[in-house]
Amino acid sequence: MAVLIDAVILLMLAGVLGYAFMVDRRVRSLMDTLRELQPMITAYSAAVDRSEETARDLSSTARGMTEAESRSAKAPAPRDKPAPRGGDKAARAARAARAQAAGVTRVTGKTELVQGFFDSVRERGQ
């Protein structure tokens, strides 16, 4: 009976070692792939940061134009033509964008976050 229990334990140990070897091989493959993708991921992250900054600049410019239009609309103007309502459209678009982004967490400095990830992976690999 003791020999049977020992055999079962040895088989289970061999199975665990085989599984650990397989997982190690897959993790190493994943790390090699991440190292190959690092330049592309870093460039993509930097591009996302730049596009967010550009969108923020465009939004603030649109807000400034809307405020300028509202200030000029308050000034007495000839009543020949109705005032253009482009500012209302921009304000509605901004409100819609804020409503759509409700509940979304914004992460700033994604480039540094991605670079920190690759640095920590590189340190663990050494």
Side-chain angles (χ1 to χ4, degrees):
M1 186 68 167
V3 174
L4 183 62
I5 293 173
D6 288 343
V8 169
I9 290 173
L10 283 174
L11 283 175
M12 288 172 41
L13 181 61
V16 167
L17 288 174
Y19 182 72
F21 177 74
M22 182 184 65
V23 168
D24 180 62
R25 215 176 54 208
R26 287 184 179 179
V27 168
R28 287 180 191 270
S29 173
L30 174 65
M31 297 310 291
D32 291 340
T33 303
L34 283 175
R35 281 188 199 99
E36 291 173 10
L37 291 176
Q38 180 183 1
M40 288 182 283
I41 292 171
T42 303
Y44 176 75
S45 178
V48 167
D49 285 343
R50 283 193 307 270
S51 66
E52 284 181 345
E53 184 178 330
T54 302
R56 234 179 284 119
D57 291 346
L58 285 171
S59 176
S60 65
T61 302
R63 263 187 256 117
M65 290 177 63
T66 303
E67 291 171 3
E69 283 180 5
S70 66
R71 274 188 248 122
S72 67
K74 290 179 184 177
R79 298 288 177 177
D80 297 358
K81 296 186 216 175
R85 298 187 52 112
D88 292 339
K89 189 174 184 179
R92 277 194 305 261
R95 278 194 298 273
R98 279 188 300 245
Q100 182 182 12
V104 175
T105 304
R106 294 187 186 271
V107 178
T108 57
K110 289 178 204 65
T111 304
E112 291 83 16
L113 183 69
V114 169
Q115 190 62 42
F117 168 76
F118 283 111
D119 290 343
S120 66
V121 166
R122 200 174 300 117
E123 287 174 7
R124 286 183 192 163
Q126 294 175 349

